[in-house]
Amino acid sequence: MENNIVALLEKVNNEILASESTSHINEVRIKYIGRTGLLTNMLKELKNLPSQERPTVGKFLNEARITIENLISNKLAELIVYEQKKKEESELLDISLSLPSFKRGVLHPLSIVKSEIIDIFTGLGFSIEDGPEIELSKYNFELLNIPTDHPSRAFCDSFYISDNILLRTQTSGIQARVMEKTVPPIKIICPGKVYRPDDDATHSPMFQQIEGLYVDKNVSLADLKHILELFAKKFFTESTKVRFRPSYFPFTEPSVEVDLSCAICGGAGCSLCKGTGWLELLGAGVVNPIVLDNCGISSSIYNGYAFGIGIERATMVKYGIPDMRILFDGDVRYIDQFR
Ligand code: DAH
């Protein structure tokens, strides 16, 4: 019996030493000293031994049991530490690993130019105003002195929703909305999308404008020229010049087309300016007194200037882009050049 116990102890010891996980060491515990474990069963057999052998064998068995318990709890403590360490190691972040590469987006050239123009004018004291893209013809046309028989009022030139509601064809309507509710001085820019049924290399059914309006006492065409010269120098270069050509808009009197000296050739003539040395950029003028009166501002006290810049046109001129449709293609290879 004693020999059996010694052999068993040795077996247990080897199994404990070979255990590599807490779950395995638990199996060893159940196998030998669990309720029906091998050593437990030997203890149960004690009663069948001759009475003189029982005390010595019993003592031996109990000592063996204590030895096994100690071996198991020591090994268990060791394995708990080991497993915790392994878990921590597996959760460790390797910050030296390089990330999969990803491409950072860039601003669209139209967004770049739009923010640039807004920055220039807000820097000159203009505040930003907004208006609805679905507009009443009252603001898009009537208050702006665009009579019913004006060509741009024909249905084919505008996207109408009903007789007197349309997708705005110009941001000029915002100036009427602002004038109607504001006592001058007014000094605003109104950026926004506008819609017209045109589609070719220099026109798109949707494009963006920035409207400018300054209304105060004693505002003149010279003030308009001054502010546009400041704009031109910041938008292009310090040496950029501004040229006014007579034009016609119903809401301004006099009206002008504004050209900037070509930023590429400096006025000598190149392919961007088609040899003229000038780039046509915007429309402007002195606010027609009829418009002021229409919007509740007395033209006998106040006057003002207004201008309208096409953002697509400004972007094409600034970057020498020949076809407006490139700007709407969404080709990331093209846009990426503006990084
Ligand atoms: N609304 C004009 C257009 O869409 C642009 C414009 C021209 C706006 C002259 C103005 C202006 O305020 O004074 O073509």
Side-chain angles (χ1 to χ4, degrees), residues 96-231:
S96 68
L97 267 183
S98 53
L99 285 172
S101 67
F102 63 91
K103 208 161 181 146
R104 194 182 285 269
V106 287
L107 281 178
H108 192 281
L110 289 174
S111 304
I112 297 173
V113 169
K114 182 173 149 189
S115 338
E116 213 173 294
I117 299 175
I118 290 175
D119 278 356
I120 296 172
F121 282 107
T122 50
L124 291 168
F126 287 77
S127 57
I128 301 170
E129 286 288 339
D130 201 3
E133 286 176 34
I134 298 172
E135 185 57 289
L136 295 170
S137 61
K138 173 186 163 192
Y139 293 106
N140 197 76
F141 295 132
E142 273 110 64
L143 294 179
L144 297 171
N145 190 36
I146 302 176
T148 326
D149 55 0
H150 191 272
S152 72
R153 291 205 54 158
F155 273 65
C156 60
D157 288 330
S158 316
F159 292 111
Y160 272 91
I161 288 161
S162 68
D163 278 354
N164 59 353
I165 300 175
L166 71 161
L167 295 184
R168 68 180 176 201
T169 61
Q170 51 185 353
T171 44
S172 307
I174 307 174
Q175 42 161 290
R177 284 183 171 272
V178 173
M179 281 194 272
E180 209 179 43
K181 61 175 171 53
T182 319
V183 176
I186 297 169
K187 200 173 178 187
I188 55 163
I189 49 165
C190 322
K193 296 191 177 88
V194 298
Y195 303 86
R196 292 179 198 176
D198 299 318
D199 198 4
D200 58 39
T202 52
H203 297 90
S204 154
M206 186 288 297
F207 62 105
Q208 300 178 81
Q209 291 184 329
I210 294 189
E211 185 77 14
L213 174 74
Y214 178 45
V215 179
D216 205 343
K217 290 173 184 158
N218 305 317
V219 180
S220 72
L221 198 66
D223 294 320
L224 171 67
K225 192 155 191 207
H226 173 65
I227 208 87
L228 292 179
E229 270 168 358
L230 291 177
F231 161 73

